[in-house]
Amino acid sequence: MHELFEKRWSARGLDLTATIPSDDLIAVLDAGRWAPTWGATQPVRFVVGVRGDETFTTLTGVLSRGNQPWAPAAAALVLVCTRNEPDDDKAHTYGAVDLGIATAQMIIQAVALGYVAHPMAGFDSSAAIERLEIPAGERPLVLLAIGTLADPSTVDEKIAEKDSRERTRLPLEQVAYATRWGHPFR
């Protein structure tokens, strides 16, 4: 496995003073833009805010209570959207799949450039749609915070505690099967 996957983690303790150069942010967005897409439909769209601009302020205003204490320290927030086609099951499902792949590629690109990228579902999508004038037929699914890791001694104690927890994942034999469900792939 590539080391970027092991380096990736959803830290919350971001440096409020750090910025992201435009070229780096564009590289992250391009990584999402070049993600595989079902039937070449390219349904994924990004609403991009950089700390200090109007879009960033709007995006911080739709954060859930759990993300409000830390996410505004990000250098950039990216609202990742896809088509909302509930009457077309395939398009609706694969639009969400495409969004997930694009988000993952953006996260890995951010890590490759030395940033932390934390995907969030904790935001008010209806408020985002209204405040950002997102057209009907689009659905925001992920809000991605991109920033630089702060010195743990400079962040809120609760955030530092969460960030210091050991990262764990289920063992491969519990998630990869062969022959039948539950029979570990070897």
Side-chain angles (χ1 to χ4, degrees):
M1 183 172 74
H2 197 280
E3 68 182 32
L4 288 175
F5 295 100
E6 288 180 302
K7 282 181 165 180
R8 187 227 54 86
W9 63 300
S10 297
R12 291 171 180 83
L14 302 178
D15 183 344
L16 182 60
T17 65
T19 60
I20 183 168
S22 181
D23 288 348
D24 285 355
L25 185 53
I26 288 170
V28 170
L29 297 169
D30 270 339
R33 184 174 66 92
W34 280 100
T37 179
W38 169 70
T41 56
Q42 302 180 52
V44 180
R45 300 291 185 269
F46 313 117
V47 179
V48 184
V50 177
R51 189 182 333 102
D53 74 16
E54 182 182 347
T55 306
F56 189 92
T57 301
T58 300
L59 291 170
T60 59
V62 301
L63 290 166
S64 69
R65 189 173 50 206
N67 291 324
Q68 286 172 356
W70 67 269
L77 292 172
V78 180
L79 184 64
V80 190
C81 305
T82 191
R83 289 196 193 113
N84 188 23
E85 301 184 53
D87 296 334
D88 182 340
D89 191 50
K90 259 187 165 172
H92 198 71
T93 298
Y94 288 108
V97 170
D98 287 356
L99 178 140
I101 296 169
T103 301
Q105 287 193 188
M106 292 166 64
I107 291 168
I108 295 302
Q109 180 65 43
V111 172
L113 293 170
Y115 300 98
V116 172
H118 185 128
M120 298 172 278
F123 66 96
D124 183 338
S125 62
S126 295
I129 289 168
E130 180 185 325
R131 294 176 192 175
L132 295 164
E133 300 177 16
I134 297 171
E138 300 292 331
R139 63 182 168 148
L141 290 179
V142 172
L143 186 53
L144 184 63
I146 303 166
T148 302
L149 197 59
D151 179 327
S153 68
T154 65
V155 299
D156 180 86
E157 199 174 295
K158 290 179 183 177
I159 291 171
E161 187 275 321
K162 284 182 180 180
D163 281 356
S164 68
R165 293 178 188 159
E166 181 183 1
R167 286 180 61 226
T168 61
R169 291 294 185 266
L170 294 172
L172 191 57
E173 58 271 5
Q174 290 184 22
V175 298
Y177 308 133
T179 311
R180 65 187 178 283
W181 188 266
H183 187 260
F185 171 79
R186 302 233 185 261

